Amino acid sequence: MYDFIPTPAVVVELGQVDTNLKKMEEEASRYGIAVRPHIKPHKSSYFAWRQLEEGAKGITCARLSEAEMMADHGVEDILIAYPLIGKDKMERLSGLLKRAEVLTVINSECGAAQLSEAGRNAGKPVRVLIEIDGGLHRGGVAPYEAALALAEKVKGLSGIRICGLLYYNGLIYGEDTAEGFRRYALKEHDELTGTARLLKEHGHCMEILSGGNSVSSRFCGELEGITEIRCGNYIFNDCAALAAGLATEEECALRAVATLVCKMDARHGIIDAGSKTLTTDGCGHGRTGYGYVVGRPDLRITKLNEEHGFLEGEGELDLEIGDKIAVIPNHACVLPNLTDKLYGIRNNRLERMIPVEARGTHIW
């Protein structure tokens, strides 16, 4: 497998990506929900355009630099799902507003005031969503009354226009069962739509209800009534999705390719993919190790140094030095951020090299 790929490398099965994109679009459209995918798993204009071609309404970015890069490549509808704070960000945002339709978030009066100034400088209001804390406490205001209080405080700012709400359901990742996933998806739906009703009663525009992550977006029936989902990792899937029963091995389209470079004893070897190729993120869901070796559930990657991966077999390690393995990472979003280019594979052949233009070396 992938014998023609120099290692270590990150490959993407393009045919499976196509299938993954179509599957999510079809599921969301069945319930009247638009897909606005998060680009952080791939950070690539090629994959962003593939998502748009399959029907995505726009894209989601975390960094202003990601949004700027996507605008450079012709993407015109961009949500920056992260609070922008600081004079430098406002100056750049004012420029971006002149060449793309930008939507971003507020979770404070201070942030809203800064965005309002940027909107006035750009000559058009910044469209904003009020960020709702879904329980993870990593940002946002509480649903219902707290969200209304913020909306009332900032409604007089002329440089912003409140368009709706944004919700992040981070607690769902702690669940292990379909019943638990559905329960949290319903909580997301209820808090989003309930808060929106309250704000509409007080005269606020609630045309956009943005929710959905890599787990809850797979339960669109429970989310029916929101307007868009910001799923990200559905394009690739990973070991976490595999262990949670949300994806099959075949549906995991992104893999790291590594070569066995040393055999320590009958059961242990070293591969040339360490933490600078894979990720030290855990998988969760009761699975240990640092990835899933494709087709070899009997093998485990037990440890990572920067350039070394420690491979262990349940029995005798039946690989020889020079043999290659493919590894589904625990967290797919990390890998493209560690490399300049991805190998795009279709039907066991290299179709294209895919640049990762927005990888982490860019300024925020």
Side-chain angles (χ1 to χ4, degrees):
M1 181 184 293
Y2 307 120
D3 286 339
F4 56 96
I5 301 292
T7 63
V10 181
V11 306
V12 181
E13 289 289 344
L14 298 178
Q16 188 59 54
V17 163
D18 293 346
T19 300
N20 293 347
L21 297 184
K22 286 181 173 66
K23 181 179 178 181
M24 183 60 76
E25 286 288 344
E26 290 172 358
E27 178 68 9
S29 64
R30 184 177 302 134
Y31 296 97
I33 301 173
V35 177
R36 183 189 285 278
H38 209 305
I39 62 94
K40 68 187 176 87
H42 55 75
K43 295 198 169 190
S44 161
S45 63
Y46 170 79
F47 284 121
W49 273 107
R50 282 294 302 116
Q51 291 169 315
L52 292 167
E53 289 161 356
E54 288 297 336
K57 70 169 293 186
I59 63 167
T60 304
C61 299
R63 296 185 177 189
L64 182 55
S65 59
E66 293 172 350
E68 290 168 327
M69 185 278 291
M70 290 295 172
D72 289 343
H73 287 81
V75 179
E76 297 180 343
D77 191 339
I78 304 171
L79 164 63
I80 304 174
Y82 199 94
L84 298 177
I85 300 292
K87 183 178 179 181
D88 60 320
K89 302 284 196 313
M90 297 306 113
E91 291 174 351
R92 289 163 57 195
L93 177 61
S94 294
L96 182 61
L97 287 167
K98 297 174 183 177
R99 57 196 183 102
E101 288 298 319
V102 179
L103 186 66
T104 190
V105 299
I106 57 171
N107 58 26
S108 69
E109 292 181 72
C110 174
Q114 291 186 24
L115 289 173
S116 181
E117 182 177 355
R120 289 194 299 271
N121 290 338
K124 66 176 182 180
V126 182
R127 298 185 304 145
V128 300
L129 305 177
I130 296 173
E131 183 184 11
I132 304 298
D133 175 20
L136 195 62
H137 306 318
R138 74 170 196 184
V141 296
Y144 306 112
E145 287 77 12
L148 175 60
L150 177 60
E152 290 289 290
K153 288 175 182 176
V154 304
K155 66 181 181 181
L157 295 174
S158 61
I160 62 171
R161 180 165 67 87
I162 298 174
C163 297
L165 307 174
L166 178 142
Y167 187 103
Y168 180 65
N169 186 3
L171 294 178
I172 197 170
Y173 290 99
E175 287 294 324
D176 290 304
T177 66
E179 292 76 14
F181 297 145
R182 287 194 176 89
R183 183 172 63 252
Y184 268 106
L186 282 169
K187 176 178 180 288
E188 176 177 342
H189 167 273
D190 293 347
E191 292 187 341
L192 251 179
T193 58
T195 303
R197 280 194 299 271
L198 177 63
L199 269 67
K200 284 179 71 174
E201 290 169 0
H202 287 78
H204 294 284
C205 173
M206 290 286 113
E207 65 181 272
I208 299 172
L209 301 183
S210 182
N213 55 36
S214 293
V215 177
S216 66
S217 293
R218 300 171 196 263
F219 296 88
C220 288
E222 283 72 20
L223 295 178
E224 186 174 13
I226 73 171
T227 67
E228 65 179 39
I229 49 175
R230 304 186 314 278
C231 43
N233 206 12
Y234 77 106
I235 188 172
F236 294 147
N237 294 308
D238 54 21
C239 196
L242 186 66
L246 298 173
T248 65
E249 179 180 318
E250 182 181 19
E251 290 172 321
C252 295
L254 182 137
R255 291 102 183 267
V257 182
T259 299
L260 188 73
V261 296
C262 182
K263 293 186 77 169
M264 305 306 298
D265 55 42
R267 291 183 55 219
H268 299 88
I270 302 294
I271 57 174
D272 62 351
S275 63
K276 289 185 175 179
T277 301
L278 290 163
T279 171
T280 55
D281 286 1
C283 177
H285 306 288
R287 182 175 177 82
T288 60
Y290 296 96
Y292 177 90
V293 181
V294 175
R296 296 298 304 268
D298 58 311
L299 302 180
R300 282 197 317 133
I301 300 171
T302 59
K303 179 181 174 181
L304 296 177
N305 289 162
E306 291 186 27
E307 308 292 353
H308 299 73
F310 292 71
L311 190 66
E312 179 181 291
E314 288 181 1
E316 186 171 341
L317 186 63
D318 59 347
L319 297 175
E320 300 300 327
I321 293 175
D323 287 347
K324 294 181 179 180
I325 61 172
V327 182
I328 297 169
N330 284 348
H331 186 187
C333 298
V334 178
L335 273 64
N337 198 46
L338 297 173
T339 186
D340 292 324
K341 293 184 178 180
L342 307 171
Y343 289 77
I345 307 299
R346 194 184 302 272
N347 298 325
N348 298 316
R349 306 182 97 175
L350 177 63
E351 180 175 292
R352 64 178 67 238
M353 296 299 296
I354 302 167
V356 186
E357 300 100 332
R359 60 173 301 211
T361 53
H362 289 252
I363 59 174
W364 272 82

